[in-house]
Amino acid sequence: MSFAKESCQNRTRRTQRESRFTALVHVSVVFLVCVFAASSVFHARSAKTDGPDLVILNAKIFTGTGSKPRDGGIAIKDGRIVAVDKTYKIRDMMVRETKRIDARDRLVLPGFNDSHVHFDGIGNKFTSIDLRTASNGDEITKALSQSARYIPKNRWIQGGEWDVRLLGKGIPNRRILDAATRENPILLYSSDPAIAVANSVALSRAGIRKGKTAPVGGSIDVDSEGIPTGVLRGTAILLVRGIQGRSSTFDTEEVLETASNYAASLGVTSVQDMQSDDIAAVLKTLERDGKLKTRVYDCIALKDFQKLAGKTALERGDTEMVRQGCLKSYAENEPSANIELARMIADADKTGLQIMIHSIGKSANDSILDIFEETASRNGPRDRRSRIEHAYGFTRDRIDELDRNDIIASIQPELFSGPQPVKKMLKKKARVAFGSDASIAEFNPLLGIFRSVTLGDEEERISVAEAVRLYTAGSAFAEFQENEKGTIEKGKYADLVILSENIFDIPAVQILQTEVEMTLVGGRIVFDARVN
């Protein structure tokens, strides 16, 4: 082969190698650029600070700002709502760490805010069981299971008073009680205080087992094998009573934890406590321990207003879950009996605290309206939002004075048998908040909504949307929290409830069959029907 020919072939091969190398380098560069770009996108989307902590997708959302639900989703970060939009837009906000809840076209509402409760009474309701109407063991088991669902583990369940005549010879035994719970000790009395029954947990703690003898004056029922049945008579009851220690009725922390658990199961994310017992410190302990599932506006007695007078929210130690600043008292139907009340209201009002007065009947309502108006005139204008609690028997001729004097009607639809002029109040631009007065009445907000949309004639009934707003935005305004909660909007607390039915589209009677599927407080799931 000639030199020229060989040189030409070498140059050709070299050129081909260089071309392949250049192409390889080009492909590699493109690949690295793509990898870098994809990695950048991945890291940008997966960075926790850039995306929501939680999203709710495929929901029917009633924001409280319109008249009906809309399709979409909600993005939540750091306990607050950061976006309410179409589901695909909310999905695009997600990063790797974002948790998701598929609402499956279920209705999402702002968390219910009960404007009038007695919180410790709600908790105590589950500790002391009333079995006076129980006619068989299944009913006893069911009642105990309901209580055990909400109370803390190891908390005593007591009460009872089952009627021996209704049950006949079927005295309940430990097996009936054990079917309800094996995590809580139980001691129940019959209508005859000389007969009681305990479950296996209580028997074990009291050392009552096979072969155990009762004190003089008592007896321990046993089965055919000599094993205690749980039925105790006479002084044998003291074996269990002796290990109970302090009555659980007075264990405020556990009582309030129970109330909070129950509130969560009903979609109640906020309450305004009218018990006037100053429980803020206990509530803050529960909050610190992660056991408080309900925001509480804790009122104290009007006569004790000096405890809070002159203190800022910071000085009171208010938190996002526990706040104070409200005072509660009662108006009488005899005007002359309210003279001292008027003086206390005027003095307390000067400190800037909110005043709430229990008032039932025309005379009481008229008196408190006059007192509030005189107080405002004497102490000067401010955003005081004075409240009439119950406002039952409120006459229509004085409704105009509510809006004119910045007075809120705090109403409980389920508490009284007849309708109240809520619709008239709303037409007159009066501020109204809904509540229950639990534990005196049923706590369930859906029951209150049902009553308000069905009770009375067309001139008295309100719409579902109005009822929901009064149980959410209305109650939030009544506690100076309308910028924090009450509607589903960007920047507000992610306090939400998911219902099993769209109560805007079903016959009113079916509202009573609607259940809470999930409750969130500050973006934290505090109740999930699938696991609770």
Side-chain angles (χ1 to χ4, degrees), residues 302-306 335-350 355 357 368 371-372 374-375 378-379:
L302 174 64
K303 63 181 178 60
D304 297 327
F305 76 91
Q306 291 291 355
S336 62
N338 294 319
I339 295 175
E340 177 61 17
L341 175 65
R343 185 194 63 76
M344 281 196 297
I345 288 175
D347 290 345
D349 179 79
K350 291 177 184 177
I355 298 172
I357 304 297
I368 200 59
I371 291 171
F372 279 155
E374 172 61 26
T375 298
R378 180 185 306 173
N379 293 344

Side-chain angles (χ1 to χ4, degrees), residues 286-464:
L286 289 175
E287 179 185 7
R288 181 199 64 203
D289 295 341
K291 297 177 180 179
L292 186 62
K293 302 175 180 179
T294 319
R295 301 187 197 277
V296 183
Y297 189 33
D298 179 42
C299 300
I300 67 172
L302 174 64
K303 63 181 178 60
D304 297 327
F305 76 91
Q306 291 291 355
K307 289 182 179 180
L308 302 178
K311 293 183 179 180
T312 64
L314 182 62
E315 290 169 335
R316 292 194 299 262
D318 288 358
T319 69
E320 290 190 344
M321 295 296 290
V322 184
R323 299 169 45 250
Q324 288 190 298
C326 50
L327 308 168
K328 167 78 183 305
S329 193
Y330 299 81
E332 302 293 342
N333 274 302
E334 176 53 51
S336 62
N338 294 319
I339 295 175
E340 177 61 17
L341 175 65
R343 185 194 63 76
M344 281 196 297
I345 288 175
D347 290 345
D349 179 79
K350 291 177 184 177
T351 69
L353 297 169
Q354 186 181 25
I355 298 172
M356 308 170 174
I357 304 297
H358 166 116
S359 181
I360 296 176
K362 181 183 184 307
S363 180
N365 286 318
D366 288 348
S367 289
I368 200 59
L369 276 172
D370 293 339
I371 291 171
F372 279 155
E373 185 171 18
E374 172 61 26
T375 298
S377 175
R378 180 185 306 173
N379 293 344
R382 71 174 177 88
D383 185 9
R384 44 180 45 88
R385 304 189 195 184
S386 302
R387 290 170 43 167
I388 300 179
E389 300 300 318
H390 308 308
Y392 187 70
F394 202 97
T395 53
R396 300 188 178 208
D397 60 305
R398 303 202 67 175
I399 288 177
D400 286 337
E401 297 177 50
L402 292 172
D403 180 51
R404 186 168 69 243
N405 295 306
D406 186 29
I407 298 170
I408 297 168
S410 174
I411 291 173
Q412 301 76 46
E414 174 62 12
L415 183 61
F416 300 101
S417 58
Q420 292 175 265
V422 174
K423 193 167 188 176
K424 187 76 170 178
M425 290 176 177
L426 296 179
K427 285 182 178 179
K428 293 287 187 177
K429 308 300 182 184
R431 294 286 188 171
V432 179
F434 269 0
S436 65
D437 204 12
S439 61
I440 295 170
E442 290 293 331
F443 195 15
N444 189 353
L446 291 171
L447 183 55
I449 290 171
F450 168 76
R451 296 294 186 203
S452 64
V453 302
T454 59
L455 202 60
D457 57 29
E458 188 65 30
E459 288 299 311
E460 296 166 315
R461 296 192 295 269
I462 62 176
S463 69
V464 172

Side-chain angles (χ1 to χ4, degrees), residues 231-275:
V231 177
L232 308 171
R233 302 175 190 272
T235 57
I237 299 172
L238 299 178
L239 295 173
V240 176
R241 281 288 301 275
I243 64 166
Q244 279 185 292
R246 187 183 182 196
S247 171
S248 56
T249 300
F250 300 106
D251 195 336
T252 308
E253 189 172 323
E254 289 189 350
V255 167
L256 296 176
E257 182 182 351
T258 301
S260 186
N261 290 339
Y262 186 47
S265 76
L266 297 175
V268 177
T269 57
S270 294
V271 297
Q272 298 164 37
D273 184 29
M274 300 292 137
Q275 189 61 26

Side-chain angles (χ1 to χ4, degrees), residues 43-56:
H43 286 296
R45 287 178 58 83
S46 63
K48 194 174 194 315
T49 56
D50 291 340
D53 304 322
L54 173 71
V55 295
I56 299 176

